[in-house]
Amino acid sequence: MVAFVLAALLFLSFCISVRQDRRRFSNAVLLGLTFLTAFSALFLQVGKLPTWAAVTVVALAFASPAFGILGLGVFLVRNGIIMIRKEGLRPANLLSMLAGLAIFALIALLVLVGVVGSPLLGGIAGTLTVVAGYVSFVFFCFLGYAFLYGRIKVRGDVDHVVMLGSGLVGGDRVPPLLASRLRKGQQIYEAQLARGGRPPFLLVSGGKGSDEKVSEARAMADWLMAQGVPEQHVVLEERSTTTEENMLFSRDIMTAHDPAYRCVVVTNNFHAFRAAMLARKTGVNGQVLGSPTAKYYWPSATIREFVAIFWEHRVVNLSICALLTVFGALGTLAAVLV
């Protein structure tokens, strides 16, 4: 019963935190802790069941994750192959395959421990499993809350629709990934006009890369105007080279226009939550919406976003991983010396 009370308190904290600001990563952690505590509370009730039911529940509780992990490994490796075939052999495109191979490597190590029976190898495998468990927990916190955050809808009128840039094709053409963001921004613009609202400014944000002929903002603006958006409703921000600079420079433009502005920021769905965190960090007054992304591209891109968020909170994350490693090393040492 105490465990259920703790889960309820965590869920209440989650709701309060979301109400205060939806863009906090702590929301994701609170959501993950809520589910973990609730599941633990349910699992503790197994002892009250008849023997056959308790054995069934325990078997399912251990078998389902095992098969799920194997299936996830297969899916990630397969996705990595698709990414390489469609997007080329670049480090960013290898993330899903590397994650899948890491899963299989850890499974192989655990099997080897069972065969060899070495205390040293068992300690190493146990430590790696615990660290991997922590990283997986943080990842699923991120994944679960990012999914919820992606369900946000625009309510009321906005003054600006900020569309974040990405690389251009051939140095001056909008690729499908970026076109998806622009279509989403144009839909918000047209929906606001359709309900009788004032036309929001479409603020396209992106500087000129070393391999680009024009700025991303210029290419985005040309794309929107080719779709029928009046030129006077398009504003260009052409200095930024990172998502954080997108936010900072766009905020300056919006604040200069109206200090009390309200905006919505558009990026692809896999990038929405991290962009929202950066919007909060840079003081942008608005939420972030995600546009559709090709299914094959989503897993690798999502892992890349998680790695970036994990690294942004590296002091906490690496400290916890180090602490778990130290405890594991001490446990291994004790097992070897016995």
Side-chain angles (χ1 to χ4, degrees), residues 13 46 251 294 297 338:
S13 299
V46 171
R251 182 203 63 191
Y297 194 87
V338 169

Side-chain angles (χ1 to χ4, degrees), residues 80-94 97:
I81 295 171
I82 294 172
M83 280 292 292
I84 292 170
R85 190 170 67 243
K86 289 181 176 289
E87 300 291 332
L89 189 61
R90 297 196 301 273
N93 297 335
L94 299 177
M97 177 178 285

Side-chain angles (χ1 to χ4, degrees), residues 22-30 138 141-142 145 273 277 280 306 309 313 317:
R22 299 172 180 172
R23 303 170 297 178
R24 296 171 172 168
F25 189 72
S26 57
N27 296 341
V29 176
L30 285 170
V138 178
C141 289
F142 159 73
Y145 187 69
F273 182 42
M277 292 170 60
R280 179 174 182 267
F306 168 70
I309 289 176
H313 296 82
N317 287 320

Side-chain angles (χ1 to χ4, degrees), residues 144-209:
Y145 187 69
F147 175 80
L148 289 180
Y149 187 86
R151 309 279 78 76
I152 290 176
K153 304 295 182 183
V154 178
R155 299 180 184 278
D157 289 353
V158 295
D159 303 296
H160 300 269
V161 179
V162 182
M163 285 160 283
L164 306 184
S166 66
L168 303 176
V169 175
D172 59 359
R173 299 193 310 279
V174 170
L177 192 76
L178 184 52
S180 173
R181 302 179 185 185
L182 296 172
R183 275 192 294 271
K184 181 74 172 181
Q186 187 177 3
Q187 289 169 5
I188 297 169
Y189 168 86
E190 292 174 346
Q192 185 159 313
L193 291 181
R195 62 175 179 263
R198 61 187 182 281
F201 289 103
L202 297 180
L203 201 168
V204 288
S205 178
K208 179 178 178 295

Side-chain angles (χ1 to χ4, degrees), residues 23-328:
R23 303 170 297 178
R24 296 171 172 168
F25 189 72
S26 57
N27 296 341
V29 176
L30 285 170
L31 180 64
L33 288 173
T34 298
F35 276 103
L36 182 63
T37 307
F39 178 79
S40 300
L42 287 172
F43 197 74
L44 289 173
Q45 304 306 307
V46 171
K48 300 178 182 178
L49 298 174
T51 303
W52 66 270
V55 171
T56 301
V57 170
V58 171
L60 289 173
F62 284 97
S64 297
F67 284 111
I69 291 170
L70 280 171
L72 179 62
V74 172
F75 168 77
L76 290 172
V77 170
R78 181 175 178 274
N79 177 256
I81 295 171
I82 294 172
M83 280 292 292
I84 292 170
R85 190 170 67 243
K86 289 181 176 289
E87 300 291 332
L89 189 61
R90 297 196 301 273
N93 297 335
L94 299 177
L95 289 176
S96 56
M97 177 178 285
L98 291 174
L101 291 175
I103 289 173
F104 287 125
L106 185 56
I107 291 173
L109 179 59
L110 292 173
V111 171
L112 182 62
V113 168
V115 173
V116 176
S118 166
L120 177 60
L121 191 60
I124 293 171
T127 301
L128 288 175
T129 301
V130 171
V131 173
Y134 169 73
V135 175
S136 298
F137 170 73
V138 178
F139 175 72
F140 284 107
C141 289
F142 159 73
L143 196 64
Y145 187 69
F147 175 80
L148 289 180
Y149 187 86
R151 309 279 78 76
I152 290 176
K153 304 295 182 183
V154 178
R155 299 180 184 278
D157 289 353
V158 295
D159 303 296
H160 300 269
V161 179
V162 182
M163 285 160 283
L164 306 184
S166 66
L168 303 176
V169 175
D172 59 359
R173 299 193 310 279
V174 170
L177 192 76
L178 184 52
S180 173
R181 302 179 185 185
L182 296 172
R183 275 192 294 271
K184 181 74 172 181
Q186 187 177 3
Q187 289 169 5
I188 297 169
Y189 168 86
E190 292 174 346
Q192 185 159 313
L193 291 181
R195 62 175 179 263
R198 61 187 182 281
F201 289 103
L202 297 180
L203 201 168
V204 288
S205 178
K208 179 178 178 295
S210 58
D211 59 342
E212 293 172 337
K213 301 173 185 176
V214 298
S215 70
E216 294 167 4
R218 180 71 267 168
M220 294 161 72
D222 291 342
W223 190 97
L224 287 168
M225 288 185 283
Q227 300 300 311
V229 177
E231 183 177 1
Q232 63 268 28
H233 293 164
V234 180
V235 179
L236 281 70
E237 182 285 296
E238 300 182 90
R239 295 188 295 152
S240 57
T241 58
T242 65
T243 302
E244 187 166 351
E245 288 183 354
N246 285 147
M247 298 293 184
L248 286 169
F249 299 152
S250 296
R251 182 203 63 191
D252 292 344
I253 292 173
M254 292 185 289
T255 303
H257 180 261
D258 179 5
Y261 75 89
R262 181 170 178 263
C263 77
V264 63
V265 180
V266 178
T267 185
N268 288 91
N269 49 16
F270 64 82
H271 187 229
F273 182 42
R274 180 167 169 250
M277 292 170 60
L278 288 172
R280 179 174 182 267
K281 176 182 176 182
T282 54
V284 172
N285 182 26
Q287 298 295 335
V288 180
L289 298 186
S291 65
T293 306
K295 291 181 180 179
Y296 77 87
Y297 194 87
W298 184 87
S300 191
T302 300
I303 293 172
R304 185 172 69 243
E305 292 298 302
F306 168 70
V307 170
I309 289 176
F310 191 89
W311 186 249
E312 286 169 8
H313 296 82
R314 57 186 174 275
V315 174
V316 173
N317 287 320
L318 295 182
S319 295
I320 292 175
C321 288
L323 192 61
L324 292 174
T325 301
V326 169
F327 284 145

